[in-house]
Amino acid sequence: MATFPSDQEKSYKAPTQTSIHPAKTFGHGYNDQNGTTIGAPDYGESHQGIEKSESSLHRGLKPRHVSLIAIGGVIGTGLFIGTGTALSNGGPLGLWLGFSFVGILVFFMMLGLGEMSAYLPITGGQLTFAGRFFDPALGFAMTWSTTLHWALTCASELSAVAVLVNYWLEPSRVNNAVWITIGYVVVVALNLTTSGVYGETEFIFSSIKVLTIIGLIILGIAIDCGAGPTGHYLGFHYWHDPGALAQYEDIGGSTGRFLGFWAVMTQAAFSYGGVEFFGITAAESSNPRFSIPRAMKQIYFRIGVFYILGTFILGLIVPYNNSRLGTASNAAASPWVIAIQLSGIKALPHIINACLITSAWSAGNADLYVSSRSLYNMAHKGLVPRIFLRTHRYGTPWVAVLTMATIPLLAYMTVSNGAAQVFGWFVNLVAVMGLVEWMGICIAYIGFRRAMKAQDFDRTTLPYRHPLALFGAWFALFSFAIIILFSGWTVFRDTKNFDRATFITNYLPAVFFPALYFGYKLYAKTSIIHPLEVDLISDVAEIEATMVERPPAHGFKGRLQAALF
């Protein structure tokens, strides 16, 4: 067993758990007194009728790929454009508090996912953990929800590509269907390549996004200090005029200010969506016990700098009562573009718009990747036909990719119904779906910790661990539930003109997920797995066999890459 070269990549002592537990075959339900596995499909590696070489993912993602994917893999238009709606609803302080609170919850959720993914980087990631550590029915619901969720998110990003191009070309000149088609073809083509090619393209796209966000933050600081062509020093001016907190829909007093802050939550959830993405990429990551702990450090950077610092700077340079915030359907609605134009900078908005298009493209690329791997994972568990296990000789599940590529075609709805309105529906739907799936990750981790305690598992042997992970899972679980419960509260303010579309897109996932969970429980007669029967051993030996010691870094480039990735 190779050892890690630093304190944060410690040696993983393989014999510890295998010496504690006798060799046995675990199902992913639990074993009754006769040794029969109750209520679970096969989560193993055997696929009758399909050769292993035709049903195996390849570990083609390098540590630097995983690190950049963790930082910016699915950052899309939510951070660049959606923050405008959040700013107009909550004001600068409400925007910052909302994104900070959701960021803390995401951080807590990711602590548990990091522990599980680093210890057991297997096909399906958190989708498999839910069925393996808690209840097969939870794994079933998580897998179906994630598969549909990310395919729908891909559709929203493709529609965003079209409206971003509208910054230059109005739909009356070139129909939006043209831009959606171009984006769609590129995304599908990239997903049909190898995981290595996918990793390289995402590395480039994510690098562009990271540099764009960092550049915008630096530019925002400069604008706030009066470095723009107008030379106006802003400081905290917009926190005083028009104010730090907006009165949501002109509701007076502290109630209106609190509701403005609360309205930021759903938009924040949409913007943070995909932060859990690397849990699924672990199965295609080389040397995952090294790359996953490193990727967790990038998550802290992403939350702290991109979202918390970024939204703080944004609230300093754009007034929340600007008429373009949350209204326009193209990059002109981006608060960053508004700030640049208010400062008198001429050409830069066009450059930012080009970067936003690559961000939307990249996010759609990552969305289809997750969706296809979720479908592959379902076939892996026996929940859908085995044909979705088929991979080409380079290890890409091409049948799953082409199947899930049909759902993003919903992006063409924006051509006839109006891009802004349909994009808003997608935001509501996928944001709440993401919150429900984050709850599932927290539940899976709670089951993981219950099993470790019951089986006297030595947590010091884990390649990644955090003392706040268990508390964080419980806190995030209840907080996500409250956010979902009140996510669509605005539709009840005017029952005479009840907004059915907003109600359905906000609360459909909250009904769909439990229906999947309890429906599968009734069908397969599953039960919550007893902590002593949770499988903490299977696949560990195979994972340890793939571990390699990272070679020492040589030269400036090698040392820089080792430090960052």
Side-chain angles (χ1 to χ4, degrees), residues 167-168 212 215-216 218-220 223 229 331 336-341 343-356:
Y167 185 68
W168 296 314
T212 299
L216 287 173
I218 295 173
L219 178 64
I223 291 173
W336 296 104
V337 172
I338 293 171
I340 293 169
Q341 292 177 334
S343 69
I345 302 175
K346 300 298 183 182
L348 193 55
H350 298 282
I351 299 174
I352 298 301
N353 193 54
C355 293
L356 299 190

Side-chain angles (χ1 to χ4, degrees), residues 189-224:
L190 288 175
N191 270 270
L192 288 173
T193 60
T194 67
S195 60
V197 173
Y198 168 82
E200 287 297 337
T201 56
E202 275 305 295
F203 182 84
I204 295 171
F205 280 140
S206 295
S207 298
I208 293 173
K209 281 187 279 190
V210 170
L211 293 175
T212 299
I213 296 170
I214 293 175
L216 287 173
I217 290 174
I218 295 173
L219 178 64
I221 295 173
I223 291 173
D224 188 61

Side-chain angles (χ1 to χ4, degrees), residues 430-507:
V430 303
V432 178
M433 291 181 79
L435 287 167
V436 173
E437 290 155 20
W438 289 348
M439 290 179 65
I441 293 173
C442 293
I443 294 171
Y445 180 70
I446 291 169
F448 180 63
R449 288 294 296 270
R450 286 171 64 240
M452 286 196 296
K453 182 178 180 180
Q455 299 179 30
D456 294 325
F457 193 106
D458 183 7
R459 288 191 72 241
T460 63
T461 64
L462 292 175
Y464 174 81
R465 66 185 186 279
H466 197 283
L468 293 178
L470 184 58
F471 163 79
W474 280 108
F475 182 76
L477 176 64
F478 286 108
S479 299
F480 289 145
I482 293 172
I483 294 173
I484 292 170
L485 180 62
F486 295 103
S487 63
W489 65 271
T490 56
V491 301
F492 300 105
R493 292 190 61 223
D494 185 6
T495 55
K496 292 183 179 179
N497 300 303
F498 192 75
D499 188 348
R500 291 186 295 272
T502 300
F503 176 80
I504 291 172
T505 53
N506 272 280
Y507 290 110

